[in-house]
C-alpha cells in the first residue's frame, strides 16, 4: 500500500501533466484543436465532450456553500446536452474561473477526482498486481487521460501479465505501448502528450519505483515543499506545451494592470511572452521573456 506521501507524489505527477502545477490548477481551462473532449476544466481536466464537466458542475451546484452555484445552475442543461458552443462562451468560462477560487469547488474537485479517477486506478492497479508508487501513478495517468483498458489488454496480449513478467517489466512494456499509441494516434491533439510517457520512462530507467523525492518533471520540482504549497516561485517562460497554473494567471493579471492588452487565461502563450518582453524593456531589465526575481519584483508579484 502506498504511503500518504507516495500517493500525493503519484497524483502530483499527473497534476503536472494536466495543468503544470504540482497541486493542480482548479481553474485551468483549455480547448485544444481537434480534441474530442472540447472544453476541459479543473485540477485534472474534466471535459465537456465526455460529460464529466457536467457531473462536476452539478456536484458543485448541489453542494452547500457553493458561492457560484446559483449562477452555474442555468448552464447545467447545456452541459448535460454537451453543447459545444460552451467552448467559447466567455461568460461561462469566466464563471468557472471564479468558482475555482471557491473552497467549496476545490473540495468538490478533490472528491470528484479521487472518486472517479484515483480510486478506480488503485483498484485496477491492485487487480493487475501493481503495487509500486510509480506503477500506480502510470495507471492513474491512464485513467485520467483515457484508454487504460484498451492498452492494458494490448500489453497483456503481446507480452503477458505482470504475474508472469514481474511488475516492473510489465509497467515498462505498458508505458512503451502507450507511447506508441500516442505518437500514432488518429487524434492529433493526443500526439504532443507523448511527453507523459517519456517522463515515466525516465523514472523507470532511473528505477524510481518508490517515487523518492525530489522529482523534476518538465522543469517543475515535486518535493515536500511544493507538495505542501511552500515552494519558491518557478521561472515562468514560453514553453511547449505552454506553462499553465495560478502563477501564470497572477502574472497576466499584473501585466494587464500595467496596461497590457492580454486575456487572463492562465496559459503562458505567445501573447503573454510578448507582454512580458514589452514590460521588461520598459523597466530596463533583461528582455528575455523569462519571469524571474527581477521581473516579479518590478510587477509587484
Amino acid at each position: 500500500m502506498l504511503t500518504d506521501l507516495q500517493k500525493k507524489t503519484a497524483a502530483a505527477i499527473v497534476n503536472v501533466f494536466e495543468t503544470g502545477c504540482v497541486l493542480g490548477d482548479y481553474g485551468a481551462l483549455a480547448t485544444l484543436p481537434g480534441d474530442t473532449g472540447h472544453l476541459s476544466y479543473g485540477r485534472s481536466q474534466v471535459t465537456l465532450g465526455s460529460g464529466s464537466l457536467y457531473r462536476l458542475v452539478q456536484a458543485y451546484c448541489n453542494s452547500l456553500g457553493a458561492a457560484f452555484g446559483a449562477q452555474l445552475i442555468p448552464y447545467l442543461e447545456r452541459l448535460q446536452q454537451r453543447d459545444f458552443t460552451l467552448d467559447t462562451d466567455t461568460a461561462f468560462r469566466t464563471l468557472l474561473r471564479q468558482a475555482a477560487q471557491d473552497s467549496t469547488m476545490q473540495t468538490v474537485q478533490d472528491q470528484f477526482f479521487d472518486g472517479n479517477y484515483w480510486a478506480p486506478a488503485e483498484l485496477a492497479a491492485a487487480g493487475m498486481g501493481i503495487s509500486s508508487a510509480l506503477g500506480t501513478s502510470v495507471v492513474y495517468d491512464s485513467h485520467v487521460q483515457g484508454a487504460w483498458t484498451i492498452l492494458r489488454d494490448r500489453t497483456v496480449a503481446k507480452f503477458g501479465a505482470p504475474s508472469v513478467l514481474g511488475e516492473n517489466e510489465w509497467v515498462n512494456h505498458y508505458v512503451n505501448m502507450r507511447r506508441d499509441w500516442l505518437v500514432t494516434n488518429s487524434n492529433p491533439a493526443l500526439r504532443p502528450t507523448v511527453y507523459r510517457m517519456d517522463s515515466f520512462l525516465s523514472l523507470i530507467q532511473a528505477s524510481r519505483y518508490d517515487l523518492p523525492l525530489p522529482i523534476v518533471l518538465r522543469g517543475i520540482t515535486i518535493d515536500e515543499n511544493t507538495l505542501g504549497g511552500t515552494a519558491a516561485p518557478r521561472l515562468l517562460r514560453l514553453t511547449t506545451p505552454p506553462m499553465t497554473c495560478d502563477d501564470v494567471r497572477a502574472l497576466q493579471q499584473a501585466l494587464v494592470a500595467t496596461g497590457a492588452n492580454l486575456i487572463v487565461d492562465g496559459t503562458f502563450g505567445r501573447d503573454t511572452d510578448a507582454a512580458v518582453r514589452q514590460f521588461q524593456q520598459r523597466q530596463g531589465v533583461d528582455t528575455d521573456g523569462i519571469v524571474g526575481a527581477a521581473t516579479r519584483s518590478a510587477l509587484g508579484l
Side-chain angles (χ1 to χ4, degrees), residues 24-260:
D25 182 357
Y26 294 95
L29 284 168
T31 46
L32 300 177
D35 186 355
T36 57
H38 288 262
L39 179 64
S40 62
Y41 172 65
R43 198 194 81 190
S44 292
Q45 297 289 277
V46 291
T47 63
L48 175 62
S50 69
S52 56
L53 178 57
Y54 162 69
R55 297 194 302 274
L56 174 69
V57 174
Q58 182 185 48
Y60 172 68
C61 290
N62 290 338
S63 298
L64 291 175
F68 296 90
Q71 293 165 270
L72 283 168
I73 284 174
Y75 289 95
L76 287 176
E77 184 176 353
R78 292 173 66 189
L79 285 167
Q80 187 175 27
Q81 294 174 349
R82 304 181 191 190
D83 178 355
F84 296 143
T85 64
L86 288 171
D87 287 353
T88 55
D89 189 312
T90 303
F92 177 61
R93 292 170 69 101
T94 298
L95 267 177
L96 288 179
R97 289 196 187 96
Q98 291 173 335
Q101 304 304 312
D102 180 8
S103 61
T104 299
M105 170 61 89
Q106 294 174 11
T107 298
V108 168
Q109 285 197 31
D110 288 342
Q111 292 172 345
F112 186 90
F113 293 125
D114 278 358
N116 288 276
Y117 298 104
W118 179 263
E122 272 194 315
L123 286 173
M128 293 294 294
I130 295 171
S131 59
S132 69
L134 176 55
T136 303
S137 187
V138 168
V139 178
Y140 174 54
D141 178 68
S142 296
H143 277 69
V144 170
Q145 195 179 32
W148 154 252
T149 302
I150 294 171
L151 292 166
R152 175 202 64 193
D153 292 349
R154 287 184 189 175
T155 306
V156 170
K158 185 171 183 178
F159 299 103
S163 58
V164 176
L165 298 175
E167 174 185 343
N168 294 351
E169 185 175 349
W170 189 89
V171 170
N172 184 37
H173 282 308
Y174 174 82
V175 171
N176 277 292
M177 178 76 74
R178 189 173 182 87
R179 187 185 192 284
D180 290 343
W181 175 76
L182 288 170
V183 168
T184 60
N185 203 280
S186 59
N187 182 353
L190 283 176
R191 295 172 199 159
T193 67
V194 69
Y195 69 82
R196 299 165 86 119
M197 297 306 105
D198 289 338
S199 297
F200 280 132
L201 287 172
S202 294
L203 292 170
I204 289 169
Q205 289 162 8
S207 298
R208 305 191 73 178
Y209 291 95
D210 292 332
L211 297 183
L213 299 175
I215 292 171
V216 179
L217 295 176
R218 304 187 61 73
I220 297 170
T221 299
I222 302 173
D223 58 19
E224 293 193 21
N225 286 329
T226 55
L227 287 171
T230 60
R234 60 176 173 160
L235 293 177
L236 299 177
R237 62 191 185 282
L238 186 64
T239 60
T240 303
M243 290 183 169
T244 61
C245 210
D246 286 339
D247 53 355
V248 176
R249 191 171 293 111
L251 166 66
Q252 292 171 328
Q253 290 169 340
L255 289 168
V256 168
T258 70

Side-chain angles (χ1 to χ4, degrees), residues 234-239 243 248 251 255 267-282 284-296 299:
R234 60 176 173 160
L235 293 177
L236 299 177
R237 62 191 185 282
L238 186 64
T239 60
M243 290 183 169
V248 176
L251 166 66
L255 289 168
T267 300
F268 198 118
R270 295 192 179 279
D271 289 346
T272 302
D273 176 65
V276 167
R277 292 175 185 273
Q278 290 168 6
F279 176 79
Q280 289 174 328
Q281 188 173 41
R282 291 198 304 270
V285 300
D286 289 342
T287 309
D288 54 10
I290 299 173
V291 182
T295 303
R296 286 182 186 277
L299 283 166

